[in-house]
Structures are given as structure tokens and as C-alpha cells.
Amino acid sequence: MTLADENIQAVPTWRSVTALHQLGGGLNQRGLDVVEETPVAIHYNGIAHAVMMATPLDLDDFAVGFSIAEGVVRNLADIKQIKATPRDHGIALEIVLASAALHGFLQFHRRRSL
């Protein structure tokens, strides 16, 4: 299972910043590399579920782990496809569920919407 959109590679995953470091009572500046996160909107079969901040690396692993942790799927076989698409302010992560998993998700989604 691979992400269908290669444009995700263009989303930055880290950046360099200047930080103040306190050492022995004095302050000095030094450069640091920090992780860059972006909003990731998670949809199951076109239905919006959540927006998470994430590093745009290994989004297929993120999608599977998030889906299992949320109880949407039991295992990898419950996911038919994962597609990531860059958006103006983040990434849309479309996860297509197998029919049994979709049925369970829709029941959960209806209860949560009440």
C-alpha cells in the first residue's frame, strides 16, 4: 500500500532555527534543526474524521497506526487504499476501508454525531 501522490515529498519535514542556549550563566546563540509538522485531515471513504498535526513522512504508516488506535480498523486488511493529497494548509489523507470496517465506522460515526 503506497501513497498515490508524490507531491507530498515537497512538504517540508524540518527547518533550521536559531535558539538561545543558557550555559554557565551566559546566553549564546546556536542553530538547531526542528521537526516541521503540518495539519493532516483524515477522511474515511470521504467522511471527515479528525485533523492531526504530523510530520509529513511515512503517512501510510501514520494512517494505519491512527486507524488501529482509533478502533476504526482491526488490522491492515481492513484498509483498501491510502491516498495523500497536498492542500493549501496541510495534507488530506483519504483512507478507503473494506466493507466490514466501513460498516463499523459508519455505526460509530452515527453514534458520535448524535
Side-chain angles (χ1 to χ4, degrees):
M1 182 176 344
T2 59
L3 297 173
D5 197 319
E6 295 176 3
N7 293 327
I8 299 302
Q9 306 303 329
V11 178
T13 57
W14 63 274
R15 66 183 166 116
S16 295
V17 298
T18 302
L20 290 175
H21 180 68
Q22 184 174 358
L23 183 64
L27 292 176
N28 56 350
Q29 287 186 338
R30 65 189 234 192
L32 293 175
D33 292 334
V34 295
V35 173
E36 190 78 39
E37 290 187 329
T38 191
V40 176
I42 300 166
H43 299 90
Y44 293 102
N45 291 64
I47 300 169
H49 181 69
V51 176
M52 304 292 292
M53 294 299 290
T55 303
L57 291 175
D58 302 319
L59 286 173
D60 47 351
D61 291 336
F62 176 76
V64 172
F66 179 85
S67 299
I68 291 171
E70 285 286 296
V72 175
V73 302
R74 290 182 316 271
N75 54 50
L76 188 57
D78 289 337
I79 297 175
K80 292 172 65 175
Q81 181 184 17
I82 300 170
K83 181 180 180 185
T85 306
R87 299 287 187 223
D88 289 339
H89 300 289
I91 297 170
L93 193 57
E94 178 65 36
I95 303 166
V96 178
L97 300 174
S99 60
L102 176 59
H103 179 70
F105 171 72
L106 291 174
Q107 286 183 329
F108 168 78
H109 186 71
R110 283 187 199 108
R111 282 192 308 266
R112 192 172 95 174
S113 296
L114 293 177

